[in-house]
Amino acid sequence: MTDFKNDSRIVLTLDAGGTNMVFGAMRGGEFIVDPITLPSNSKNLDLCLQTMVLGFSTVIDSLEGSPSAISFAFPGPADYPNGIIGGYLPNFPSFRDGVALGPFLQEKFGIPVYINNDGDLYAFGEALGGALPDLNRRLAEAGSAKRYHNLIGYTFGTGFGYGAVIDGQLNRGDNSCVETFCLSNPKLPGYIIEDSVAIRAVTRVYGEASGNLNHGLTPKEISEICQGTREGNREAALKAFNDLGESAGEAMATAATLIDGVICIGGGIMNSHEYIMPGILRSMRGTIKTMSGDTISRVQPKVYNLDDPEEFALFARGDARELKVYGSDKTVTYDPQKRLGVMRSKIGASKAISIGAYTFALSELDKMKEE
């Protein structure tokens, strides 16, 4: 798609929380109005929908120019391509029986409406305006001919969010069900992996390892114990973040094996990346066995921590060599080393989701023009 940073089209946005909704507008990938915050009224469908209409209307009234689309993230279950929300939504109980939210808003405002999962928009934002273009810029500056086109995005928070972008296209799935939270848990067989990756995992493991299940500490406070700036059981604190990293790394190894793309991780818990990333890398760099007795790498490409300058230098250098074309004097460059990078978000999950919502709308509008 065209450079979104120089695009003049305006897209209305929404940060939909169970308590408050924050309405805004973006142009060129940046917010252009002061955010408007209104109570969600999430338990009353009529009030909730009226709030959305009021919020978007207020933003439109403050704009110089007309919006081209509405684009935002909303929790599922959902049929995102058709803009229908419905099922068990803890933060939006009034949507349980199914709400045609996209068609409703399109009818009210007369412009296209695009709704997606926040994990998908996070990955799309990092792929088009965050980690992926930044990585390819760094590779060019390092003199590497290697470029990456696929990105797997993860967010650590109250849940274990996931999205995948393949050659610039968001993988929305056929059932709006591209998820990772329900993968098998390597540390708790029979349970979902999210129980060992989300915020609740850090607090639970610290309680179990310290022998104090009622400690009442947040992940930020447990991180301070790791740093030595707060009293507590440091061994238990380190274990809490290490276990999260190892569990997440197992899920990432599965995704990277199937998709073959770089991985970018966002979310507030990644402020403690120095205690999480070693576990992720340990799992991804692990081995598995075959019945014939061979031991092979858990992930076939070599895994690098792209936030480590020394590892990035090796990642960029690779193992390129000149290969002679049989029967001629010509040569081609051949790099046999398969390599995969893992990095944390530099723009933050919230900004990435916003960029994802904006760029997704632009890409869909461009497709409509082509058709």
Side-chain angles (χ1 to χ4, degrees):
M1 64 175 292
T2 56
D3 180 10
F4 71 89
K5 293 182 179 179
N6 293 313
D7 201 298
S8 62
R9 286 172 288 185
I10 299 172
V11 175
L12 304 182
T13 64
L14 166 64
D15 182 356
T19 302
N20 292 309
M21 291 186 179
V22 183
F23 300 84
M26 297 189 83
R27 180 171 53 207
E30 299 293 340
F31 285 104
I32 58 173
V33 298
D34 292 332
I36 295 168
T37 302
L38 298 173
S40 299
N41 298 305
S42 59
K43 296 180 181 180
N44 185 311
L45 182 59
D46 289 338
L47 286 177
C48 186
L49 295 179
Q50 289 172 22
T51 298
M52 290 189 184
V53 172
L54 174 61
F56 285 127
S57 297
T58 305
V59 172
I60 291 172
D61 290 342
S62 69
L63 293 174
E64 293 182 5
S66 300
S68 298
I70 296 173
S71 183
F72 59 93
F74 204 87
D79 173 1
Y80 288 115
N82 291 309
I84 300 172
I85 310 297
Y88 176 66
L89 286 78
N91 290 337
F92 287 88
S94 63
F95 283 68
R96 180 183 296 272
D97 295 330
V99 178
L101 181 58
F104 166 76
L105 293 173
Q106 187 161 324
E107 183 74 16
K108 285 289 183 181
F109 294 101
I111 54 177
V113 177
Y114 305 108
I115 306 175
N116 284 284
N117 174 275
D118 58 353
D120 289 341
L121 290 182
Y122 167 76
F124 203 59
E126 291 287 4
L128 272 66
L132 195 58
D134 183 64
L135 171 62
N136 287 328
R137 175 190 59 78
R138 292 169 65 196
L139 287 170
E141 291 175 352
S144 172
K146 185 76 171 176
R147 298 293 182 271
Y148 285 80
H149 307 281
N150 304 326
L151 180 135
I152 306 166
Y154 288 95
T155 55
F156 296 165
T158 55
F160 187 25
Y162 168 84
V165 179
I166 301 173
D167 198 19
Q169 298 297 313
L170 177 64
N171 176 25
R172 302 176 91 188
D174 289 326
N175 295 285
S176 297
C177 197
V178 179
E179 299 285 2
T180 199
F181 75 92
C182 52
L183 290 178
S184 180
N185 191 321
K187 292 189 177 294
L188 299 170
Y191 291 87
I192 61 172
I193 198 164
E194 185 174 271
D195 284 332
S196 286
V197 179
I199 286 173
R200 60 185 181 273
V202 177
T203 57
R204 173 181 57 78
V205 173
Y206 178 80
E208 292 171 349
S210 66
N212 180 9
L213 298 178
N214 299 314
H215 56 80
L217 297 171
T218 66
K220 181 178 183 297
E221 291 167 337
I222 294 172
S223 179
E224 291 169 356
I225 294 173
C226 293
Q227 298 165 12
T229 58
R230 176 183 289 270
E231 290 187 4
N233 187 323
R234 188 168 188 270
E235 184 177 345
L238 292 171
K239 177 176 172 55
F241 287 109
N242 176 74
D243 283 11
L244 182 150
E246 289 184 348
S247 298
E250 181 60 31
M252 292 172 183
T254 298
T257 298
L258 297 174
I259 294 176
D260 188 11
V262 296
I263 293 173
C264 183
I265 313 165
I269 295 180
M270 281 305 287
N271 290 331
S272 303
H273 62 89
E274 65 267 42
Y275 309 116
I276 296 173
M277 192 66 84
I280 290 174
L281 296 172
R282 191 158 42 250
S283 286
M284 296 191 71
R285 291 169 175 167
T287 59
I288 52 175
K289 296 181 179 180
T290 68
M291 293 295 288
S292 61
D294 294 328
T295 298
I296 62 174
S297 297
R298 176 66 181 84
V299 177
Q300 293 308 291
K302 190 171 182 179
V303 179
Y304 292 86
N305 178 3
L306 299 183
D307 295 325
D308 182 307
E310 293 183 3
E311 289 200 27
F312 174 77
L314 294 172
F315 175 84
R317 185 165 67 217
D319 190 24
R321 63 192 71 170
E322 293 299 309
L323 188 67
K324 188 174 181 180
V325 177
Y326 182 78
S328 77
D329 294 330
K330 296 180 179 180
T331 61
V332 295
T333 301
Y334 171 56
D335 189 342
Q337 187 191 99
K338 297 177 175 63
R339 50 201 189 272
L340 181 153
V342 182
M343 64 194 123
R344 66 184 188 277
S345 174
K346 306 305 183 298
I347 61 176
S350 179
K351 181 66 180 291
I353 291 169
S354 296
I355 291 176
Y358 180 71
T359 53
F360 184 85
L362 297 187
S363 65
E364 292 299 302
L365 292 170
D366 289 343
K367 288 178 186 177
M368 290 173 59
K369 285 183 181 178
E370 294 172 0
E371 293 173 357

